[in-house]
Amino acid sequence: MKLLRYGPVGEEKPGLLDNDGRVRDLSAHVNDISGNTLLPDAIAKLQALNISDLPLVDGQPQQDLRLGACVGNVGKFVCIGLNYADHAAESGLDVPPEPVVFGKWTSAIVGPDDNVEIPRGSEKTDWEVELGVVIGKGGKYIDEADALQHVAGFCVINDVSERDFQLNRSGTWDKGKGSDTFGPLGPWLVTPDEVGDFDQLAMWLEVDGHRYQNGSTATMVYKVPHLVSYCSRFMSLQPGDVISTGTPPGVGMGQKPPVYLKGGEIMRLGIDKLGVQTQNVKNA
């Protein structure tokens, strides 16, 4: 099942994508795709619905029908750094002995095709296609063997990053990770039964048609069950929290010479089975 949120900014409604690629409205069944809507029992009730009975929404998603972030009211936006062996190598860094964990402000979250803004004073805004994990059942000190029971689904994330702010501005990585529009989520949240083997998903990112990232979740160092378990040691995970699991090689900082975003460009990125995002890059 592919769950989504559609409509104008701040007025998104819950929906799902049917087998014909059209949006069906879920407003009669849930208030939003968020929080307790993502608990296992709630997901099971949605999966039991007869999709053809749900109201058809006018417009084609990602064309003349805007999609919002696939999860609403995200409580925590947790990110993992240097989690692909080949990306660590292009960065000239060793694979960390434990997952690198940092936070992205939830105010960075936007829809999958909304504009991405280069912050004022930025000269090193970069891209990162990432596999997002959406928490369903919350918990803390989660056993790795039980971790997937806590996952409601997966999505595409662009972990947009300002490298100078991140690395050179006397602080943690958070400075360069949380600017407004730096967290496009979606287009949809795909439930695990439909994703299948999430350790073998092709992922890519292009800027103005040039493919910079062309990787796979197969090179992820710390896998999804470990990350869910690991993060739950340091915080309670709650329904609707999002974990962004790291990026494969091909980021702008890793090019020789480095390449960074400029206003007027178009980013396009996707992950097998999870959909595609398209963002126009604007100067703030």
Side-chain angles (χ1 to χ4, degrees):
M1 181 170 59
K2 295 181 175 72
L3 297 171
L4 54 84
R5 301 169 68 248
Y6 70 92
V9 176
E11 301 177 15
E12 293 89 350
K13 295 180 180 180
L16 59 77
L17 194 73
D18 68 16
N19 292 332
D20 296 321
R22 299 292 301 276
V23 173
R24 300 278 179 163
D25 182 63
L26 285 173
S27 298
H29 300 276
V30 293
N31 292 326
D32 201 355
I33 306 300
S34 64
N36 289 341
T37 302
L38 299 170
L39 290 169
D41 287 350
I43 293 287
K45 288 180 180 178
L46 294 179
Q47 289 177 319
L49 295 173
N50 186 340
I51 293 178
S52 62
D53 290 340
L54 298 171
L56 189 62
V57 178
D58 291 336
Q60 192 67 30
Q62 299 189 277
Q63 295 182 24
D64 54 351
L65 175 63
R66 175 188 175 269
L67 298 184
C70 60
V71 185
N73 299 312
V74 174
K76 291 189 288 297
F77 195 169
V78 184
C79 298
I80 309 298
L82 298 174
N83 194 34
Y84 282 69
D86 35 12
H87 171 54
E90 78 167 348
S91 301
L93 299 170
D94 294 331
V95 172
E98 296 185 36
V100 173
V101 178
F102 61 93
K104 208 170 175 83
W105 318 127
T106 56
S107 53
I109 294 173
V110 291
D113 307 310
D114 291 345
N115 293 339
V116 165
E117 292 185 355
I118 297 176
R120 294 179 184 177
S122 167
E123 296 182 354
K124 297 182 178 181
T125 297
D126 205 346
W127 55 80
E128 296 189 11
V129 59
E130 305 204 359
L131 174 69
V133 177
V134 181
I135 298 300
K137 176 184 176 183
K140 57 183 179 180
Y141 305 116
I142 295 168
D143 192 283
E144 187 169 334
D146 300 327
L148 293 181
Q149 298 176 26
H150 295 260
V151 175
F154 300 91
C155 67
V156 181
I157 294 176
N158 191 352
D159 177 20
V160 186
S161 309
E162 210 300 338
R163 301 303 188 187
D164 185 54
F165 297 178
Q166 175 188 355
L167 301 172
N168 301 320
R169 296 293 291 272
S170 301
T172 63
W173 284 13
D174 303 338
K175 277 186 181 179
K177 293 287 189 172
S179 295
D180 289 358
T181 76
F182 271 25
L185 300 185
W188 22 78
L189 182 162
V190 186
T191 52
D193 59 297
E194 191 165 328
V195 175
D197 186 359
F198 49 81
D199 286 332
Q200 297 290 331
L201 299 176
M203 53 203 309
W204 54 272
L205 183 144
E206 298 173 348
V207 180
D208 280 353
H210 179 85
R211 182 159 295 196
Y212 285 97
Q213 292 190 274
N214 199 21
S216 168
T217 57
T219 65
M220 190 183 290
V221 178
Y222 299 106
K223 305 297 186 180
V224 170
H226 182 77
L227 293 176
V228 172
S229 174
Y230 185 84
C231 289
S232 76
R233 301 179 200 174
F234 304 99
M235 66 196 84
S236 62
L237 294 176
Q238 297 158 340
D241 286 349
V242 175
I243 302 174
S244 198
T245 58
T247 197
V251 300
M253 181 174 64
Q255 306 301 308
K256 299 185 186 305
V259 176
Y260 296 110
L261 293 168
K262 304 180 291 291
E265 294 174 316
I266 297 175
M267 284 188 286
R268 186 170 168 82
L269 58 146
I271 301 179
D272 188 28
K273 300 182 181 181
L274 301 183
V276 173
Q277 300 182 352
T278 304
Q279 294 117 23
N280 290 312
V281 180
K282 306 289 186 181
N283 291 308

